[in-house]
Amino acid sequence: MRHRLCAESDVPESGSIVLPFFGREVHVYRSGGRIRVAANVCVHFGGPLECKDGSFVCPWHGASYDMDSGRATGGPARKDAQLMFLSSRVENGDVNYVWGE
Ligand code: FES
């Protein structure tokens, strides 16, 4: 399965772009020289995530996550919690969600 998310040029150099994804949302952003796609879901209780100063922060109860590793860095999320990353691939200038290829 392959699903186009956006053009690679749509992804900002810092921060993220939030895109629809089958009725939900994902953050697409640059990290460590590659593009990552993370579900816009706080793993504490399902709140949305805001991209602030290089971290994802949940406005519901204040959990924060490292954008590179996805690991929780503060707030009520479990210390071993991690954001949900989606597999993706950049091809011909597009960022695609890929599954099972
Ligand atoms: S739902 Fe995100 S901190 Fe509680």
Side-chain angles (χ1 to χ4, degrees):
M1 176 185 189
R2 180 178 310 208
H3 177 75
R4 182 185 183 276
L5 295 169
C6 64
E8 182 180 13
S9 60
D10 291 336
V11 183
E13 290 300 321
S14 63
S16 70
I17 182 172
V18 178
L19 299 168
F21 183 75
F22 297 105
R24 300 187 179 208
E25 291 182 335
V26 291
H27 284 269
V28 181
Y29 60 101
R30 299 178 189 273
S31 170
R34 64 180 176 146
I35 289 179
R36 301 206 78 168
V37 180
N40 187 16
V41 177
C42 174
V43 296
H44 174 235
F45 212 59
L49 298 170
E50 298 173 352
C51 186
K52 284 188 179 173
D53 302 324
S55 296
F56 285 123
V57 178
C58 177
W60 285 10
H61 313 107
S64 58
Y65 300 88
D66 182 90
M67 289 178 70
D68 295 328
S69 68
R71 295 198 180 281
T73 55
R78 288 174 41 145
K79 298 285 182 246
D80 61 350
Q82 185 167 19
L83 297 179
M84 292 176 279
F85 289 111
L86 286 77
S87 58
S88 62
R89 188 181 306 145
V90 177
E91 295 171 310
N92 301 319
D94 288 331
V95 180
N96 295 303
Y97 162 72
V98 292
W99 181 255
E101 292 187 3

